[in-house]
Amino acid sequence: MAGKRRSYDAEFRAGAVRIVTETGKSAAEVARDLGVHESTLQNWVHRARTRADAEAAGGLSESERDELRRLRDENARQRKEIAELGMERDVLKRSVVLWVKEATK
């Protein structure tokens, strides 16, 4: 029977990755010290390095992607609102034209 899957918070993962990258110890050694499976720690280190490489190459960080997604959603909502306001304005213009025609008869 398989054991219960453990979860680690982001702070713990970041600390473990920092130990590997800053001390020069192998991932296997740090994993044994922390009681984490070696491949799990290697995955964390790989993801951290990939993220760092993307940021260094001018890519967007995770928080920047979140902000971009939020801004795009807000932009779409505002475009929809502008289109609705434009339609309302057109209806009002037509109403004024009809009202003027009726008033000048």
Side-chain angles (χ1 to χ4, degrees), residues 2-21:
K4 185 177 178 185
R5 186 177 185 144
R6 293 183 61 184
S7 64
Y8 303 95
D9 64 351
E11 188 176 326
F12 179 83
R13 290 190 303 262
V17 169
R18 223 176 12 258
I19 292 171
V20 172
T21 57

Side-chain angles (χ1 to χ4, degrees), residues 8-64:
Y8 303 95
D9 64 351
E11 188 176 326
F12 179 83
R13 290 190 303 262
V17 169
R18 223 176 12 258
I19 292 171
V20 172
T21 57
E22 292 177 3
T23 65
K25 289 183 177 181
S26 69
E29 187 179 349
V30 174
R32 275 192 305 274
D33 293 344
L34 296 176
V36 177
H37 196 276
E38 179 182 346
S39 63
T40 302
L41 181 56
Q42 288 173 340
N43 287 337
W44 296 344
V45 171
H46 176 72
R47 273 190 243 137
R49 286 183 177 150
T50 302
R51 240 182 272 122
D53 290 345
E55 289 176 12
L60 299 177
S61 68
E62 195 170 325
S63 63
E64 290 172 326

Side-chain angles (χ1 to χ4, degrees), residues 61-74:
S61 68
E62 195 170 325
S63 63
E64 290 172 326
R65 281 192 299 273
D66 290 341
E67 182 180 7
L68 180 60
R69 189 176 307 113
R70 183 188 60 77
L71 290 172
R72 284 182 176 167
D73 291 344
E74 182 180 346

